[in-house]
Amino acid sequence: MRMRQAVVAALADEMRADESVMLMGEDVAAAGGPFKTSEGLLDEFGGLRVRDTPISEMAFTGAAVGAACLGLRPVVEIMFMEFLGVALDMVVTEAAKFHYLSGGRITVPMVVRASVGSGGGFGLQHSQTLENWVTATPGLCVVVASDPQTAYGLNRAAIRHDGPVVVLEPRALYPVRGDVVTGDAGIVPIGRARVLRRGADVTVVALGQTVGVALAAVADAGVDAEVIDLATLVPWDRDTVRKSVRRTGRLVVVEEAPESGGWGHEIVSSVTSAVFSDLTAPPFRITSPDVPVPYSPALEARYLPTREYVARQLTSYLRSGTVPAPWWIEEGLAR
């Protein structure tokens, strides 16, 4: 199924299994979701459990916090990740803190789903990933889909979780098809990375739409790389990544986020501190440049780390044992 269909399947399966699960957001009911990620749910579950909301993210996200505290399991859909900015207080100050503030008496089992990322020509205000908005908030789990299976499995795991979970779904992958195991066997546990390819020469850690890019780049470059889909950003699977780097001696993180402030800093820092003596080359990150996401299709394609660029960086890294400069430095576009 397509990734957007996998999201629908995950929501439907959880709503059938638990009557406390409900969905709310802009255009999620009658229209079937702006990206068709709730298509058919209104017909099956009705308007009490699948609710169109006004264009007020703070209001309906806040309503979900209250509903979760009182026993429901609401799923909030944020059309574009940027729109979460007007509701961050509800997520990072309220939902993430109630369990702690109540001494464990109150749980907040809510999910905030948001479409993220570039590659669709939506322009600089609708194409960011913005993981760093939520990853530094204790009390939140943050997961990122990379294909139809993780879109299905992570959403189901998130809905079942007894605390607030942010699910980020790369918009460019919604039409991508893949095999999906449904039912309980298809649930992807929160906090567990997926080793998608075994290798001995370098560990490549990716997330979201860069997972497919990394797999294609490794195949193009012909390198013996171990490719890991991190899947969960908070709490991320330190054991799997460190075990891999201990064996390969090298680490490359491929991320869509800009170079400054990206999630890869945490991975590189933690791994370097834990397995420094096992490293045979300095770890490094392959990222996007520190510029707004371009609207022009040609420039947007250049902005993202492509399979060709990642393959070139990996080949240079393994050949020289040193960190290659990013393309914008090589071409003299930045210092």
Side-chain angles (χ1 to χ4, degrees), residues 89-104:
D89 181 53
M90 294 296 103
V91 178
V92 305
T93 307
E94 307 300 338
K97 303 298 190 292
F98 275 6
H99 186 68
Y100 180 86
L101 287 171
S102 68

Side-chain angles (χ1 to χ4, degrees), residues 155-178:
N155 268 296
R156 289 202 64 186
I159 294 170
R160 293 185 174 199
H161 192 69
D162 284 332
V165 182
V166 177
V167 180
L168 305 181
E169 299 167 0
R171 196 176 312 108
L173 299 183
Y174 279 145
V176 172
R177 290 186 182 274

